[in-house]
Amino acid sequence: MIELKDKAAAFLALHRPGDPVILPTVWDAWSANLVREAGFPALTVGSHPLADAMGKSDQEGMAFTDVVARVREITGAVDIPVSVDIESGYGLDAARLVEGLLEAGAVGLNIEDTVHSEGGRLRDPAEHADRVGALRQSADATGVHLVVNARTDVFLRPAADAPADRFESAVTRLKLAAEAGADVLYPVGRHEPDVLRRLCRELPLPVNAIAIPESGEPAAFAKAGAARVSFGPFLQRALAAEVGRLLERWR
């Protein structure tokens, strides 16, 4: 626990608005080793690429035990901090989620407000904040400050609200999550620079942005004020496209 406590503190310290930590999104020990060997200080495990790598579906087609087993392989392969996307929590209580992540050697998590086990409904803002608060309390009870990245999926639901309403809804949700004990706020989506700047300005905690690895520019995210950049499923997709190109000439 002492090692995890120090690793969690070091991971949190990497989140600096305007000087974002780049967290390549991995799915197994092989991809994690590529990231470590490239010199990155930490990484994140994405649910979508992890599910694809295991032949299962995203949106909680995996069990939490599947996730923990793979995370344990990753933390056994690399010594840098590892954060894990736990989707909406697999229907488990906060204490069980925190226990599983720490036992697997992770020091951070993403928690989203889409409830996949209940038809994909969106938690209301207070309900999501309560979920974040329970994770914070459970982690703090262990003595390890697990870095909680509170995500909202509002921007992924374009049919639900007008663009301005989605922005305000996301800010409201994430401010409540911040009050509940989140460390990082994740308004997931590929935002225009002016929208990302507004989010970073109006939100009270470090902001996680998402990037396309083959076309994004780190300086642009720094200029917008982001504190963390991850790749979601896009690194795995870029590698898949390259593998397809290599194999095509052998058909």
Side-chain angles (χ1 to χ4, degrees):
M1 279 297 184
I2 293 174
E3 180 183 355
L4 285 179
K5 183 176 180 180
D6 292 344
K7 192 172 284 189
F11 181 48
L12 181 59
L14 293 172
H15 294 75
R16 298 184 293 268
D19 181 21
V21 59
I22 310 300
L23 300 179
T25 307
V26 309
W27 51 92
D28 61 9
W30 173 78
S31 55
N33 267 311
L34 291 179
V35 168
R36 180 188 58 79
E37 290 167 3
F40 289 90
L43 57 81
T44 186
V45 180
S47 66
H48 200 305
L50 179 58
D52 281 353
M54 299 176 72
K56 301 194 176 185
S57 62
D58 192 29
Q59 301 181 349
E60 300 193 357
M62 302 173 289
F64 185 56
T65 51
D66 296 327
V67 176
V68 167
R70 181 56 58 88
V71 171
R72 190 175 292 114
E73 294 173 359
I74 291 169
T75 60
V78 300
D79 59 359
I80 57 178
V82 171
S83 185
V84 182
D85 178 357
I86 60 169
E87 306 194 66
S88 55
Y90 304 96
L92 300 174
D93 64 34
R96 175 68 187 92
L97 293 167
V98 167
E99 177 188 31
L101 291 172
L102 292 179
E103 286 181 351
V107 294
L109 63 87
N110 291 6
I111 184 71
E112 62 194 53
D113 53 3
T114 296
V115 188
H116 301 292
S117 61
E118 298 178 20
R121 72 173 181 87
L122 202 65
R123 290 190 179 105
D124 68 43
E127 182 187 7
H128 189 47
D130 287 345
R131 186 70 156 154
V132 170
L135 289 164
R136 172 83 285 135
Q137 292 174 14
S138 294
D140 287 352
T142 70
V144 177
H145 190 93
L146 197 70
V147 177
V148 176
N149 187 18
R151 166 177 151 169
T152 181
D153 290 348
V154 166
F155 287 105
L156 302 183
R157 295 170 177 252
D161 301 290
D165 294 336
R166 290 199 297 274
F167 184 94
E168 294 303 326
S169 177
V171 168
T172 296
R173 287 171 173 273
L174 293 177
K175 283 183 174 179
L176 287 174
E179 293 171 4
D183 300 291
V184 187
L185 303 175
Y186 190 9
V188 69
R190 294 171 59 191
H191 304 298
E192 293 297 324
D194 61 325
V195 174
L196 182 57
R197 280 194 296 272
R198 283 187 63 203
L199 287 165
C200 293
R201 186 169 62 246
E202 295 192 24
L203 291 172
L205 291 174
V207 171
N208 187 163
I210 194 166
I212 306 299
E214 64 267 42
S215 61
E217 293 292 338
F221 291 98
K223 185 176 180 181
R228 168 173 173 163
V229 178
S230 51
F231 297 147
F234 299 115
L235 178 60
Q236 189 185 59
R237 288 179 185 176
L239 291 177
E242 178 62 11
V243 169
R245 186 190 68 80
L246 291 171
L247 293 180
E248 177 63 27
R249 59 190 295 266
W250 294 95
R251 290 179 62 190

